[in-house]
Amino acid sequence: MRIVVIGAGIVGSAIAFHLSRRGAEVTLLDSGEPGMGASSHSFAWINAFGKEPRHYNELNRRSLDTWDRYARLLDADIGLRWGGQLTWTSTDEDAEWLKENVAKLQSWGYIARLIDERELACLEPGLRPGQVSAAAISENDGHVLGTKAAQVAVRRVEQLGGTVRSKTPALGLDVVGDGVATVQVESGSIECDAVVLAAGVAVTELAAVAGVTVPQYESPGVVVKTNPMPQIIESASVLYAPPISDDQPEIHVRQGTDGVVMIGEGSQESLARDDSQEHADRLLARASHYLPALASARAVPVPVGYRPMPRDEMPILGFTESVPNLYIALTHSGITLAPLIGEFATMEILDGARIDLLDPFRLERFS
Ligand SMILES: Cc1cc2nc3c(=O)[nH]c(=O)nc-3n(C[C@H](O)[C@H](O)[C@H](O)COP(=O)(O)OP(=O)(O)OC[C@H]3O[C@@H](n4cnc5c(N)ncnc54)[C@H](O)[C@@H]3O)c2cc1C
């Protein structure tokens, strides 16, 4: 099959990679450079903790379990690190929330458990957690370098014989008939058997050209980075720390295999637009409160990033009913989900499979 994949972020590159492995003739287009969209602004946490409802948790968790296989297939250093999410709370109310959450996740068979202060200190000797009302670890969770993973996958697509065209925006798409589609680019049009739309926030605009409505809302987010630091976080892949004062949300902190520490505020979906140096300095100061070794780090603001965000926050995956050879792959938590989406989309496109696990995530739920 000849397939055009529009968008070379973590999601589009994973789909293009798996399609190429299976022998499809792939053309991968990106309007900019691969991996430089939302995937480059991401905290890039691989997790399912706190993700609901259950079928969404299950999807994330399956993908989490697929990441090792994906990394093995890519066969390069993509900064994948495991160790688990370490969460602790400082108030009785939040402790109740954490205990209930862990109990629910355990009942779903998710690897998570409550730990005491002694174990918390053993796991992270450099951590000064302050008042601890409850603590938990979900040992399965990890993180990765989002841009690097996308760029390696793109390289593999080329090595497998695919065509990669950077700085080549798809301008439109058309269904010519008999299952044949064309994608318009500046230099002309590319004929193919199926189009995969994985252009992140731009999916809505491009789908509209083909008469397909993909509802999304704007979801700006901000992470802060530091200069590369010696190892500060010993074993956990992510620390999820309580607010220092009532007027501030919680923070999450990770250290990449490149030594860079990343800090985010609130939850993975929190809306934020302040990408100023002052904000970055404040966030770093809050992280240093818990990790004193960070006091010598320098805060590097990252420009605000826009999460691809379907209106109901659940992924939109699969062929559309109105344009049968148009496959949509639009999702938040795309770093976590990319390896599974890559494999599932490939089976649906090349084998004609219909994966029932994806049924809750079809576009048609909006109609
Ligand atoms: C602040 C922030 C924190 C996040 N934290 C996490 C996290 O911890 N864990 C997690 O799993 N997820 C997280 N996410 C979400 C995750 O980053 C995204 O879901 C994921 O990166 C989406 O990947 P994508 O490939 O779909 O989109 P993108 O990475 O945006 O890639 C889309 C690509 O399409 C290209 N494109 C656009 N228009 C066109 C066109 N017309 N023609 C050709 N190409 C086009 C763009 O140039 C871009 O390269 C976070 C996101 C943000 C912003």
Side-chain angles (χ1 to χ4, degrees):
M1 272 179 94
R2 300 160 305 165
I3 299 160
V4 175
V5 179
I6 303 177
I10 190 104
V11 172
S13 62
I15 297 173
F17 170 69
H18 282 292
L19 287 168
S20 302
R21 278 187 68 235
R22 292 277 312 274
E25 196 181 300
V26 172
T27 302
L28 176 58
L29 304 178
D30 199 283
S31 52
E33 293 295 340
M36 296 312 291
S39 305
S40 70
H41 294 265
S42 186
F43 191 76
W45 190 348
I46 301 170
N47 74 336
F49 197 95
K51 289 183 179 170
E52 295 188 36
R54 184 169 180 170
H55 58 263
Y56 180 56
N57 185 280
E58 192 67 32
L59 194 77
N60 278 271
R61 176 221 182 133
R62 274 196 182 230
S63 194
L64 197 149
D65 292 340
T66 312
W67 254 107
D68 266 331
R69 168 178 151 74
Y70 188 49
R72 242 185 359 260
L73 290 171
L74 290 180
D75 193 22
D77 176 14
I78 50 169
L80 184 62
R81 183 177 164 187
W82 301 109
Q85 173 181 325
L86 210 49
T87 309
W88 73 101
T89 56
S90 57
T91 66
D92 290 345
E93 196 186 339
D94 288 346
E96 280 316 301
W97 164 83
L98 185 59
K99 287 174 189 167
E100 277 168 23
N101 217 343
V102 168
K104 182 167 58 195
L105 286 168
Q106 285 186 330
S107 77
W108 291 353
Y110 194 74
I111 296 168
R113 63 188 167 84
L114 295 170
I115 57 173
D116 60 19
E117 272 190 74
R118 200 176 44 87
E119 190 170 355
L120 182 63
C122 280
L123 287 167
E124 286 306 330
L127 183 68
R128 299 290 170 269
Q131 172 79 26
V132 178
S133 56
I137 184 157
S138 49
E139 286 175 82
N140 255 7
D141 300 356
H143 62 63
V144 72
L145 298 174
T147 297
K148 207 164 178 190
Q151 290 173 344
V152 168
V154 167
R155 231 172 27 241
R156 296 288 175 258
V157 170
E158 280 179 314
Q159 288 164 349
L160 289 162
T163 304
V164 177
R165 293 171 69 175
S166 302
K167 297 195 181 74
T168 307
L171 303 172
L173 30 125
D174 238 335
V175 178
V176 183
D178 288 338
V180 178
T182 58
V183 175
Q184 282 87 48
V185 293
E186 206 174 59
S187 56
S189 58
I190 310 167
E191 197 178 278
C192 60
D193 303 300
V195 177
V196 177
L197 202 40
V201 291
V203 163
T204 299
E205 194 186 325
L206 279 164
V209 178
V212 176
T213 304
V214 179
Q216 232 187 125
Y217 76 82
E218 192 174 272
S219 179
V222 169
V223 296
V224 167
K225 292 188 179 178
T226 67
N227 53 312
M229 298 291 290
Q231 190 168 9
I232 288 175
I233 301 178
E234 287 277 321
S235 65
S237 47
V238 173
L239 304 176
Y240 197 75
I244 295 172
S245 62
D246 288 346
D247 58 340
Q248 289 171 338
E250 63 276 19
I251 56 170
H252 36 279
V253 187
R254 57 164 270 188
Q255 186 168 25
T257 52
D258 54 4
V260 171
V261 174
M262 258 196 229
I263 310 159
E265 191 177 30
S267 77
Q268 251 176 291
E269 288 78 30
S270 294
L271 304 185
R273 289 180 196 275
D274 189 351
D275 52 9
S276 65
Q277 182 67 52
E278 293 71 28
H279 174 73
D281 291 341
R282 282 196 300 271
L283 219 50
L284 176 59
R286 278 158 64 191
S288 310
H289 172 89
Y290 293 118
L291 292 163
L294 270 179
S296 61
R298 185 167 38 84
V300 182
V302 178
V304 62
Y306 291 87
R307 305 174 182 95
M309 190 60 89
R311 197 176 64 206
D312 62 0
E313 300 184 355
M314 295 291 115
I316 300 177
L317 301 167
F319 282 114
T320 65
E321 274 176 13
S322 53
V323 182
N325 44 3
L326 177 63
Y327 196 96
I328 308 263
L330 173 73
T331 189
H332 175 50
S333 276
I335 303 285
T336 303
L337 290 169
L340 192 69
I341 292 175
E343 302 235 32
F344 277 9
T346 297
M347 286 196 287
E348 293 205 315
I349 296 166
L350 296 187
D351 303 327
R354 187 171 167 109
I355 296 167
D356 62 13
L357 276 172
L358 297 184
D359 282 350
F361 307 112
R362 303 299 184 190
L363 175 66
E364 285 65 37
R365 68 181 183 272
F366 293 104
S367 53

